[in-house]
């Protein structure tokens, strides 16, 4: 059997609004936790208390994600600024 090789180049990854997306997801998990919290007794009686704690865990992991993507975004901006400061921009010739 021969190994499959792609016939074309892979497209560049899309860069979207990563920080607002992660912040929005984190807020959503926390809101879901707050909405379910008054009904904790019902969830516990029916064996679904893990739903409440899953939402809290999602919010907690989202906070870690916000920290991570903010650092990543800052690093990308620093890299772009350093590249622009090296004189490699098209509108600023080096010669």
């Amino acid at each position: 059997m021969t190994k499959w090789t792609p016939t074309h180049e892979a497209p560049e990854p899309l860069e979207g609004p990563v920080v607002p997306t992660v912040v929005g997801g984190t807020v959503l998990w926390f809101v879901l936790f707050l909405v379910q919290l008054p009904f904790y007794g019902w969830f516990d009686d029916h064996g679904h208390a893990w739903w409440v704690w899953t939402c809290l865990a999602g919010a907690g992991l989202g906070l870690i994600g916000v920290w991570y993507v903010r650092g990543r975004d800052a690093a990308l901006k620093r890299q772009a600024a350093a590249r622009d400061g090296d004189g490699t921009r098209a509108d600023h010739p080096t010669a």
Side-chain angles (χ1 to χ4, degrees):
M1 180 184 267
T2 62
K3 182 179 176 184
W4 178 81
T5 56
T7 57
H8 54 75
E9 288 289 321
E12 290 292 321
L14 296 175
E15 285 293 331
V18 179
V19 175
T21 301
V22 174
V23 169
T26 302
V27 168
L28 181 64
W29 278 114
F30 190 69
V31 167
L32 288 171
F33 169 73
L34 292 178
V35 166
Q36 291 180 3
L37 198 56
F39 305 103
Y40 182 79
W42 183 90
F43 284 112
D44 195 33
D45 292 343
H46 291 86
H48 297 302
W50 63 272
W51 288 6
V52 177
W53 302 119
T54 299
C55 292
L56 184 61
L61 291 172
L63 289 175
I64 295 170
V66 168
W67 171 77
Y68 179 80
V69 297
R70 287 186 68 205
R72 177 184 177 271
D73 193 41
L76 289 173
K77 287 180 181 176
R78 278 193 309 270
Q79 181 183 16
R83 185 176 49 241
D84 291 347
D86 290 343
T88 57
R89 289 175 49 183
D91 57 347
H92 294 283
T94 57

